Amino acid sequence: MSIFDEIKVFSGNSHPELARDICQYLKIPLGKSEVFKFSNDETFVRIQENVREKDVFLVQPISAPVNDNLMELFIMIDAARRASAGRITVVIPYYAYGRTDKKDQPRVAITARLIADFITTAGADRVLTMNLHAGQIQGFFNIPLDELTSIPLLASQYKDKNMDDLVVVATDVGAAKRAHDLADLLGTPMAIIEKQRYGNEDVVEAVNLIGDVKDKCALIVDDEIGTGGTVVAASKILTKFGVNKIYCCAVHPVLSGNASNLLAESNISEIIVTDTLPVPANKMIPNLKVVSVSNMLGEAISRIHAGLSVGAMFGH
Ligand code: R5P
């Protein structure tokens, strides 16, 4: 049993629906707070109930508008800390800036690290997140961090479909581990695409493919769909190499710019993503399906509160 008698969950403006679903799993009401912007563009946060010595969870995936939602998160943490919360866990199902995790060009920032510092300085005690772009981002924090994976949840969507000749496809060499985990759960072989990204532009090209995909059904897997360029380029090279049918799954539906249209016009039969980020109605397309991670996050929150293993949720 936790030393904090009560769980309190609050949401910023990023994804209140997910926060409500998490609360439904936990069988508690969503905490009352006001989070808004003044006319001068400054963000205001007030927690509207007592959180003194409570186990506080702040749900805020870093969705667009990314910088506004980050600022909300920092101010929510500060408000909870100054209200004498017993412990503050930030629940960030999607950690934006995850791709800015190293100095891979001269004189660039490591923004993923900078944000980790802001979160810690604001007063967070723990982090709960999902499928970071790179595992080493965990080490950017000097506070405990739990990273959940939705690969088993995505795998469960295909288990009953009896797809013959399925092959899991990694969108690039860096994604091979994720694809391997999914292929392992589905008992299928895998293939890897060699991807080329041009400069800092959102332009990608699939230049080669390693593995046997001819006359098979391909399941492309990625951590996130941003502009959609990566998975659409993957689908094109798969067609060139003779696949029969193409499916795609990804954890985080960033869906920036023209992504939804690109995906709708692609030759991908179905795209499954999770609700780590909200998918606004104008971005929903017929071949896009969203599965929820709310129960998984709710279970992790209840385990963190009770001091139980979170790894045990994944058989560790
Ligand atoms: C890249 O390393 C990531 O794993 C994704 O492939 C990438 O973020 C997808 O972005 P986009 O959809 O813009 O190509």
Side-chain angles (χ1 to χ4, degrees):
M1 187 57 193
S2 163
I3 52 162
F4 312 102
D5 60 345
E6 235 182 289
I7 299 180
K8 293 273 185 186
V9 176
F10 296 91
S11 175
N13 286 312
S14 160
H15 202 349
E17 199 184 332
L18 177 66
R20 271 192 291 273
D21 290 347
I22 291 172
C23 287
Q24 203 167 19
Y25 179 88
L26 292 166
K27 298 189 174 62
I28 58 169
L30 180 62
K32 289 194 181 60
S33 62
E34 40 179 358
V35 184
F36 67 87
K37 262 185 169 190
F38 289 115
S39 57
N40 63 3
D41 211 38
E42 290 176 5
T43 297
F44 175 83
V45 173
R46 190 166 89 93
I47 294 175
Q48 294 171 298
E49 51 188 274
N50 174 32
V51 291
R52 218 169 264 273
E53 300 310 322
K54 304 284 189 260
D55 203 4
V56 170
F57 292 83
L58 305 174
V59 180
Q60 182 85 330
I62 314 303
S63 61
V66 167
N67 296 339
D68 279 350
N69 283 328
L70 270 174
M71 201 63 203
E72 272 188 9
L73 176 64
F74 303 145
I75 299 175
M76 284 163 66
I77 299 168
D78 191 65
R81 184 170 59 89
R82 291 176 195 280
S84 306
R87 179 172 66 179
I88 303 167
T89 303
V90 286
V91 182
I92 311 175
Y94 175 67
Y95 191 80
Y97 285 110
R99 292 191 289 179
T100 318
D101 61 342
K102 56 186 145 333
K103 259 192 101 174
D104 53 3
Q105 301 172 44
R107 300 173 297 282
V108 294
I110 302 179
T111 317
R113 167 63 203 247
L114 180 67
I115 289 166
D117 286 346
F118 282 161
I119 288 171
T120 313
T121 302
D125 297 299
R126 309 183 60 91
V127 181
L128 173 59
T129 187
M130 297 199 71
N131 295 92
L132 290 165
H133 178 66
Q136 57 270 26
I137 294 171
Q138 295 171 3
F140 291 178
F141 289 90
N142 277 330
I143 51 177
L145 178 147
D146 291 299
E147 180 186 358
L148 310 183
T149 175
S150 49
I151 294 299
L153 175 69
L154 292 172
S156 70
Q157 304 300 309
Y158 300 95
K159 277 204 171 122
D160 301 332
K161 286 197 174 172
N162 290 326
M163 291 156 136
D164 287 335
D165 283 337
L166 189 67
V167 54
V168 171
V169 181
T171 51
D172 62 22
V173 180
K177 166 80 174 73
R178 193 176 306 119
H180 180 267
D181 290 348
L182 181 62
D184 222 30
L185 287 167
L186 293 172
T188 69
M190 65 176 276
I192 302 175
I193 287 170
E194 196 189 325
K195 176 172 102 175
Q196 189 79 51
R197 192 178 279 278
Y198 298 102
N200 289 330
E201 306 305 316
D202 282 331
V203 179
V204 292
E205 194 189 351
V207 290
N208 200 6
L209 189 144
I210 305 152
D212 179 17
V213 295
K214 192 163 167 40
D215 297 325
K216 295 194 176 188
C217 177
L219 172 57
I220 303 167
V221 60
D222 212 345
D223 58 336
E224 64 178 63
I225 301 179
T227 60
T230 298
V231 295
V232 170
S235 72
K236 285 184 183 156
I237 199 167
L238 285 165
T239 305
K240 207 165 108 189
F241 276 70
V243 296
N244 280 335
K245 199 159 185 165
I246 304 171
Y247 292 91
C248 170
C249 66
V251 181
H252 309 295
V254 179
L255 303 179
S256 54
N258 197 32
S260 288
N261 289 338
L262 258 185
L263 296 171
E265 288 161 10
S266 74
N267 54 356
I268 306 173
S269 305
E270 185 189 54
I271 303 134
I272 301 184
V273 293
T274 78
D275 60 353
T276 55
L277 290 167
V279 180
N282 64 349
K283 296 209 167 176
M284 271 313 287
I285 47 170
N287 56 344
L288 182 69
K289 179 179 165 189
V290 183
V291 293
S292 185
V293 293
S294 57
N295 288 0
M296 204 192 308
L297 286 167
E299 178 60 24
I301 287 172
S302 107
R303 284 169 177 266
I304 289 168
H305 178 68
L308 298 173
S309 165
V310 170
M313 289 169 61
F314 304 95
H316 301 311

